[in-house]
Amino acid sequence: MTTQQLTYVIAVADCQSVSKAAEKLYVTQPSLSQYIHSVEKQLGIQLFDRSQNPIRLTDAGQLYVSWARQILAMEENMQNALSDLMGMQKGSVRLGASSFRVRCLLARSIAAFHAQYPQIHISIQEADMRQLKDMLIAGELDFAIGTGTFEDKQFHVEPLSEEHLYLAVSPAHALCESLPPPLSAKDIIQATPAFLRQKPISLSDVQDEEFVAANVGEYDRETLNAVCRQSGFDPKIAYSVQTIETVFAFVCANMGIALVPDSLIYYGNFQSHPNYYTLPDAISCSNISLIAKRGAYLSKAASAYALLLKQLVDVGTWRMTGEDYQRRPAP
């Protein structure tokens, strides 16, 4: 087995399509299809069930892909261990996070790391936390960034920053008439006196309203259900959309209310915002954490990135400052 064989089979398995995998790998569809057939012929087993659409792995294919991921991860670790002997002259960092966090939270840290270590390659996997956990266990990632609960025996978790949920309501929504004065994005970002004065509202006060929820991500409908149930009710979900950014757009269009993390307010780079209402810490507060597989080999490059990320969080440059906010164009 070669690295190319393993990589190509994994790509088809992940994409569940030869054509999509070929596009991802920058090869032609006929050549990739022929390549997969040759691997199956060499092994004497069928890896994919092509009678289904999308194509699926056979039982043998699932076993092959599971081992293929572990082999590639071990090869990557070996390369990093060898690079450590060269004193950060080569190496890689494998980082995973949701698309939202990659776009809004990690850009500064990656840019700063690249400026300091231009010879170190950073690869980024964008996925939801369930997938990231599996990738960590398989050894495909050095770190994941996100929120959630993690088995102590499997993962080492280091909190980076607190994250708070806010109730987001369009200014045009009738609910605003019965709620206290709202916060603006500027209030939250700059911690204005209004932000410091606002008392949390009870989420049960809006239990009859319709919510918008995301299908995937750390703040999906499961999170919404869990938070609302802590307040004694099951939410009425009017719309299920794909991402937290789409949830935000639907709220702004007055198509429902939602729970949104303050990271979206800080880093979303939106020109207009809904009204925001503070919620009790018991249901709204969580940690953004750096998650690694417990006992996994950590290269010097990965350790250096983790240290830089923690430093940026500690000094506040991970977050948008009030001065940054004031430099943004007016809505």
Side-chain angles (χ1 to χ4, degrees):
M1 291 182 292
T2 66
T3 298
Q4 187 181 52
Q5 286 178 335
L6 302 176
T7 302
Y8 279 15
V9 172
I10 289 172
V12 175
D14 288 343
C15 295
Q16 296 185 293
S17 164
V18 175
S19 59
K20 291 179 180 178
E23 183 178 347
K24 178 180 178 181
L25 295 168
Y26 300 103
V27 299
T28 64
Q29 179 180 343
S31 65
L32 179 59
S33 182
Q34 185 178 0
Y35 192 92
I36 297 298
H37 278 296
S38 69
V39 172
E40 291 178 319
K41 184 177 180 180
Q42 178 185 345
L43 294 170
I45 55 175
Q46 187 174 348
L47 299 176
F48 294 96
D49 180 357
R50 297 169 177 80
S51 66
Q52 301 187 59
N53 188 19
I55 63 174
R56 306 268 181 167
L57 287 167
T58 62
D59 290 343
Q62 291 179 7
L63 183 63
Y64 182 95
V65 168
S66 175
W67 278 101
R69 294 187 190 279
Q70 294 181 59
I71 291 169
L72 290 179
M74 289 173 65
E75 183 177 322
E76 182 77 18
N77 283 337
M78 180 188 70
Q79 292 293 338
N80 281 332
L82 292 172
S83 297
D84 284 351
L85 297 176
M86 301 177 65
M88 297 286 286
Q89 296 304 308
K90 291 180 63 178
S92 65
V93 180
R94 300 165 299 168
L95 182 64
S98 67
S99 297
F100 159 65
R101 295 204 186 279
V102 171
R103 178 174 63 86
C104 296
L105 295 181
L106 300 182
R108 289 187 180 186
S109 65
I110 293 171
F113 185 81
H114 181 71
Q116 190 170 352
Y117 303 105
Q119 67 277 25
I120 303 297
H121 174 70
I122 294 185
S123 62
I124 304 168
Q125 293 288 341
E126 299 182 23
D128 65 36
M129 189 50 66
R130 298 179 189 86
Q131 295 170 306
L132 294 175
K133 285 181 179 179
D134 291 340
M135 295 170 76
L136 284 168
I137 291 172
E140 297 173 36
L141 296 176
D142 295 310
F143 300 112
I145 309 293
T147 59
T149 56
F150 306 92
E151 289 289 335
D152 185 62
K153 291 182 179 180
Q154 289 183 305
F155 301 104
H156 172 76
V157 180
E158 187 165 350
L160 292 171
S161 176
E162 282 192 347
E163 187 167 63
H164 292 265
L165 286 173
Y166 285 84
L167 178 69
V169 183
S170 166
H173 199 294
L175 180 62
C176 295
E177 297 179 5
S178 60
L179 293 175
L183 296 176
S184 67
K186 183 178 179 180
D187 289 327
I188 295 171
I189 293 170
Q190 298 189 358
T192 64
F195 169 81
L196 300 174
R197 286 195 305 266
Q198 193 185 65
K199 295 181 179 180
I201 67 167
S202 173
L203 196 56
S204 61
D205 291 344
V206 300
Q207 61 182 304
D208 295 328
E209 303 297 331
E210 293 185 328
F211 285 80
V212 183
N215 290 324
V216 297
E218 295 159 78
Y219 292 105
D220 58 8
R221 61 188 301 153
E222 290 185 16
T223 302
L224 173 64
N225 286 333
V227 173
C228 289
R229 285 167 185 162
Q230 288 184 65
S231 298
F233 69 98
D234 290 318
K236 300 175 182 177
I237 300 178
Y239 296 97
S240 290
V241 297
Q242 193 65 12
T243 66
I244 191 66
E245 291 92 341
T246 309
V247 169
F248 184 91
F250 271 51
V251 170
C252 289
N254 198 19
M255 299 175 71
I257 64 176
L259 302 183
V260 300
D262 57 3
S263 296
L264 191 73
I265 304 169
Y266 278 107
Y267 317 119
N269 198 30
F270 300 111
Q271 295 301 307
S272 59
H273 285 260
N275 290 341
Y276 295 111
Y277 299 90
T278 304
L279 299 171
D281 283 348
I283 63 172
S284 69
C285 184
S286 60
N287 284 320
I288 305 173
S289 298
L290 188 70
I291 308 111
K293 180 181 177 181
R294 188 169 291 280
Y297 175 79
L298 200 60
S299 68
K300 290 182 179 179
S303 298
Y305 175 78
L307 178 61
L308 184 144
L309 180 61
K310 288 184 283 187
Q311 288 172 341
L312 289 178
V313 173
D314 289 341
V315 301
T317 55
W318 195 13
R319 291 188 176 277
M320 178 185 290
T321 64
E323 186 176 288
D324 291 330
Y325 186 87
Q326 290 170 349
R327 284 199 294 264
R328 295 173 60 197

